[in-house]
Amino acid sequence: MTDSDSLSRFLFEHTGIRGNLVHLDASWRAVLATHAYPDSVRGPLGESLAAVALLAATIKFDGSLILQAQGAGPLCTLVAQATHERTVRGLATWVDDVPATGELADLFGPGRLVLTIKRRQGEPYQGIVPLEGCNLSAAIERYFSDSEQLPTRLWLAATGQRAAGLLLQRLPRDSLSNQDWERICLLADTLTPAELIDLPGGRLLYRLFHEEPVRLFEPDPLAFRCGCSRARIEEVIRLLGEVEANEILAEQGVIQVNCEFCNREYRLDRVDARQLFAEHTHHAPPVSRQ
C-alpha cells in the first residue's frame, strides 16, 4: 500500500474523459483521532473526505470546497472540506446507533446534499439536491447530473487506515462518443473496494484501463489541516456580543470553545474578553460647538 496522502490526475487521450484518484492515510487517521467515531460512522466519513478531495481537484478556485450530507436519521451530518492548498478536514455527528450497512435513507433518513464553494474573493456558490441513492457516490453523481449537467462517476471506500476514491468525469465536448464514456465506466465498475484501498495508483489504473490510452500526471500531496485559530474564535465571541459574553463569564468563569474539526480547545477569561471588546470599541468624535 503506497501513494500515501496523494491525489493523481489522469486523462484518457482523445476521448474527453478525465479522472482523479485519491489515497488518504495520515490525513484520514488525523480526522479519526479528533473524535471517538463508531465503526458505522467511519465508513461514510472517510468516503466523504475522499469525495471532497476528488471534487476539489476538478475545479480551479482560491478557497475551499465543502461537502455536507444532512438528514434526520441516526447519522445527522457529514461535513468534509478540501482547499486549493490541498488540505482536508472533516467531521460527523450522530445521535443513535448508526446501521453498519444500509442505503442513505437508513443512515440519514430524509436529507439533502449540499456542495459549497467558498472563494477568498467573491460570493460563495452553493448547490443543493435531495440526499438520495444507495450510497454517497450515487448521491454525488445525481448532484452533477441535476445541477451541473456534467456526467460524473465516483467509487469510494474507507477503512480505519485509509480512505480512497476514484472519479471519472466527461468533459463537455461535441466530439465525445457516448460509447467511449460507457466503455470507460463499465471498466471502472469492475473495481472492488479492496482494490481501491490496496492498489497503488499506477497499478490500479493499469488493472482497469490497460487497453486504453491513459496519461497519468505526477501526484499532488494532501494533508490534514484545520482552519481554526484564536483570531477566528475571538471573532465569533465578538459577534456574540459583550453582554452575552459577560453572562457566560459570570456563570462559568471562562469562555471555552472547542473546534469540532480538530478538537482544539480555546479559553478566554475576563481579562481576555475585556481586552477583546475594548480593542473594538469606537468612540464617537466630539461634536464641535460654534
Side-chain angles (χ1 to χ4, degrees), residues 158-171:
T159 66
Q161 297 298 312
R162 166 174 279 187
L166 172 70
L167 175 145
L168 296 177
Q169 196 165 71
R170 177 175 174 172
L171 300 177

Side-chain angles (χ1 to χ4, degrees), residues 44 47-48 51 67 69 78 104 113 131 134-140 156:
E47 291 180 1
S48 69
L67 183 152
L78 290 178
L104 291 180
L113 179 72
L131 187 61
C134 59
N135 51 36
L136 186 61
S137 298
I140 297 173
L156 304 169

Side-chain angles (χ1 to χ4, degrees), residues 72-205:
L75 183 52
C76 307
T77 308
L78 290 178
V79 181
Q81 182 185 53
T83 72
H84 71 283
E85 297 175 323
R86 299 288 178 261
T87 64
V88 295
R89 64 177 184 169
L91 64 88
T93 60
W94 67 100
V95 293
D96 295 311
D97 291 335
V98 180
T101 60
E103 297 192 357
L104 291 180
D106 301 317
L107 299 174
F108 289 93
R112 63 179 188 168
L113 179 72
V114 184
L115 280 174
T116 306
I117 300 176
K118 290 187 175 181
R119 305 180 187 276
R120 290 185 175 177
Q121 295 183 345
E123 295 295 320
Y125 167 82
Q126 188 171 82
I128 304 173
V129 296
L131 187 61
E132 297 178 352
C134 59
N135 51 36
L136 186 61
S137 298
I140 297 173
E141 289 170 5
R142 172 173 177 173
Y143 168 85
F144 276 90
S145 175
D146 292 354
S147 300
E148 306 294 335
Q149 288 80 51
L150 192 62
T152 302
R153 294 288 312 278
L154 290 99
W155 294 261
L156 304 169
T159 66
Q161 297 298 312
R162 166 174 279 187
L166 172 70
L167 175 145
L168 296 177
Q169 196 165 71
R170 177 175 174 172
L171 300 177
R173 294 184 182 177
D174 295 337
S175 59
L176 176 61
S177 166
N178 287 332
Q179 292 181 345
D180 289 333
W181 174 248
E182 293 170 359
R183 183 183 71 257
I184 297 300
C185 290
L186 283 174
L187 293 172
D189 276 331
T190 67
L191 179 66
T192 68
E195 288 174 327
L196 183 55
I197 290 291
D198 294 333
L199 290 181
R203 285 180 56 191
L204 187 150
L205 294 180

Side-chain angles (χ1 to χ4, degrees), residues 184-282:
I184 297 300
C185 290
L186 283 174
L187 293 172
D189 276 331
T190 67
L191 179 66
T192 68
E195 288 174 327
L196 183 55
I197 290 291
D198 294 333
L199 290 181
R203 285 180 56 191
L204 187 150
L205 294 180
Y206 181 79
R207 149 64 183 96
L208 295 175
F209 310 119
H210 60 273
E211 294 184 353
E212 303 291 333
V214 178
R215 190 197 318 172
L216 177 62
F217 299 94
E218 286 296 316
D220 294 320
L222 293 166
F224 169 82
R225 190 173 73 195
C226 189
C228 72
S229 66
R230 187 174 180 87
R232 292 191 176 188
I233 298 300
E234 289 177 348
E235 181 62 25
V236 170
I237 295 172
R238 191 179 302 116
L239 293 174
L240 189 66
E242 187 172 7
V243 173
E244 190 165 348
N246 286 334
E247 289 176 354
I248 296 174
L249 287 166
E251 180 180 345
Q252 303 179 12
V254 67
I255 300 175
Q256 179 177 316
V257 181
N258 286 71
C259 174
E260 292 183 314
F261 283 99
C262 68
N263 220 18
R264 183 176 178 182
E265 179 183 290
Y266 296 87
R267 298 168 65 91
L268 283 82
D269 58 20
R270 288 183 173 84
V271 175
D272 296 325
R274 190 179 304 115
Q275 181 179 357
L276 175 65
F277 288 103
E279 290 174 351
H280 292 80
T281 299
H282 300 280

